[in-house]
Amino acid sequence: MVSAAPVRLADYSPWPFALPAIHLAVDIRPGDVLVTSRLDLEPRGGAEALQLRGVDLEICSIKLNGDDVAGDDYSYRDQLLTIHSPPSKPFVLETCCRIDPYNNSSLEGLYVSGGLLSTQCEAEGFRRITFHPDRPDVLSRWTVRIEASRASCPVLLSNGNAISEEELTDGRHAVTWKDPFPKPSYLFALVAGELREIRDLYTTASGRAVTLRLHVEEGDEPYSTHAMESLKRSMAWDEQVYQLEYDLDEYNIVAVRHFNMGAMENKSLNIFNSKLVLADAETATDAELERIESVIAHEYFHNWSGNRITCRDWFQLSLKEGLTVFRDQSFTADLHSAAVKRIEDVAMLRNTQFREDAGPTAHPVKPAEYQAIDNFYTTTIYEKGAELIRMLHTLLGQERFMRGMATYVSRFDGTAATTEDFVQSIVDGAAQDGQPLGFDSERFKRWYHQAGTPELTVQRQWDAVKGELTLELRQSTPPTPGQTEKQPLVLPIAVALVGEKGRIGEEQLLVMDGDQASLTLQGDPGSAAPALSLLRRFSAPVNVQLEQSLQESLQLLAHDDDPFSRWDAGQRLARQVLLARASGEPDATVEAALIQALRQRLNAFDGGGGQDLAVLLALPGTAELEALQNPVDPPALYAARREWIAELGRQLADPLNQLLDVCRGEWPQAWPAGQGGRSLTGLAWSWLAAAGDAEARNQALEAVSGPSMTLARAALRALQPMEVDERDLALDRFYQRWQDKPVILDAWFALEASAPRTDGLQRVQALLEHPRFDPLAPNSLRAVLGGFTANVPVFHAIDGSGYRFMADQIAAVDRRNPITASRMAKVFSRWSSYGVDRQSAMRQAIDQLAAGELSSNTAEVVAMLRT
């Protein structure tokens, strides 16, 4: 294993040239593609040589100001083209290169996906297309001419507006695109091939007409309506909330099957994983419909937070991603349930980002160095980055925060900025009213540079005579790789008191920016101590150490008016139950109390608001439980979860069957209506089926053939963990129905791979050889291998066979798609937390990976795992 030299933030310096304009000519031919680029370059002084990046490029010609560059005047080695003595005045460099997208399995640069030529240039893919500095702080205005056979490539797309179309000889044609807004190379996009177009029109707030075009493969047109409507809702929301209007005459979205990411925000030409575009109620679940709406919005919102204002360097990645995640979360919250959205986001954060923060791949939101930037497209950059924006919003309030956003946009539009630029803009805009800021902005910036999840320890004392609850708070952040000394962070902590009749007094916001802080809350004199509702709305991304009694948790679950805190109380009780069962010592008192609380909730439900109840009843994620167990025993946690679900089904059979009767009327309602009832139906089937309820199993089996994908997939999830005939029948019916739809069939692959069977490893191997499995599609790989790693009894087999198998698969994937492989390698990130036997077996699998020839992407991850 050979690691690349690290790139360091401290070494940043501006590129010594300006590149105001680029003219690109792309000549698509059956066996290769010729790319001619004309770069208008302006020396900024002091550069002895011009260096451009280029990977797997065959040079056809190099011209400087129209003259051929002699062989002695340039060199091309180690993916670097060097012009040794460039002019000291503005000049034009023209290169012509031959590339082979038809055999490019990396899914970076220009490649073929199902016969369609497509690009992925973020983060460093453009260097696989032509020579360029390929860094985000070099912004240019682009003109792109694409030429191809009309028969094979009737659709030719790039960024900006189409300014001309040409009919050429020999059945060829060309389209020229011009993007009037400066952008870096990572936002370049090109799509060429045979696609069907769905067209619509959007009129902006200022009255400009924008043509919206969604491009899909033949036969997929009926599944495009949801994506188009989501786009229009996104455009309207950004105008209404942020006063940001779309700036071009057209907006294009293309769906492709082979794509490493979910989607890409290339200026005016978004390229999407087809899974995140093609959907209706019959082919996608409610959660997938909302996810599609959210991702469509996310990529559209990037038009301003990422495109018009981009990153100075890749260390600033969260500048665009954290901010845009916050924006898309707010969009979903405004359109649907803000409470449910916040709970879902916190659950995801705790189960993914907190886990990352606690492992060997922990890194700050703004890393100090990297070897392969693709490895830093992580939940820390995205979701934790969004929490930083949310804290600024909490600290400042909506009005002041939006003034800061307006300052940021006006100050940095058309430039490449940094996270410091962003925070300073928010602070400057918020301070325009002359009010004190209310927190130390320099201390707040520590969040960007310090890895790890802070721990907030809370002690309290109740004065019954005065009715005062005094809190003593301490914060600390555990050591993380490369960072042992931690400084205190700015923590906005929302708190309130809750009595037996609800909240007492007003909520308070404590701004904690030191190691310690104290706060006194006023309750009712002469009464018993009230419950403490702490970290309401999850006001800061921290772990809380606070002793809370069973009675206090039940009181919060019953009476807290903050939906997050109410849910969190239920999660705390469920964690106690599951961890106790996993240890072999069930806590009968807590179990009985929780079942009674859930029974009351179920009996009180009479329809409507089902999503709130569904998230309240959901069990904690496995990663949350693993973080509280030492050593971690995945099979014991898995067994505890299955046992507890069965117990819930037995104890709550009557209210669950009543729940099914209430929810049945919501099944046929069109999304977003009815999703609460459908979610509760899936939960009831899961609990009842686990308890042996034959009627629930039959209902689930029938739903697999029904008109709702939400109910079909919920039914499969309910049946999948059990060795029963209904499971095999359900999986077979689903396969027979959807075998010709790869986007949907991936769900079947994942369910099959994660089914806990005695011959699970052999079945996963068979899935990888299945005629419908596409080894070049990241979706398919994630479905099978991701499903396998979720198959606890098989992946975590005590003999280490699951770990060794996964290491083999990662190595094989790495040879053709390093980005996908490096992300899969993180499945081993918690190896040191397991018991001795599993720890040893997983470490052997990591060493097995390290001994092979790995890409720089995967080598960096494996090296972090071994430290």
Side-chain angles (χ1 to χ4, degrees), residues 421-478:
D421 293 331
F422 173 78
V423 174
Q424 193 60 52
S425 295
I426 296 295
V427 167
D428 290 347
Q432 290 174 6
D433 58 8
Q435 297 181 25
L437 194 60
F439 66 98
D440 186 328
S441 62
E442 291 304 311
R443 289 192 178 187
F444 183 85
K445 292 175 186 177
R446 293 174 183 170
W447 275 103
Y448 285 96
H449 300 279
Q450 191 162 288
T453 303
E455 292 185 356
L456 182 67
T457 302
V458 183
Q459 295 182 333
R460 52 190 165 167
Q461 184 173 355
W462 171 246
D463 186 329
V465 175
K466 295 181 179 179
E468 293 179 346
L469 183 70
T470 300
L471 306 181
E472 298 294 337
L473 304 97
R474 290 177 176 272
Q475 66 160 303
S476 63
T477 304

Side-chain angles (χ1 to χ4, degrees), residues 29 31-35 56-60 96-100 129:
R29 306 184 304 188
D32 58 18
V33 172
L34 285 180
V35 181
D56 295 336
L57 306 179
E58 179 186 338
I59 297 175
C60 299
C96 179
C97 303
R98 180 178 287 105
I99 60 175
D100 181 9
I129 296 173

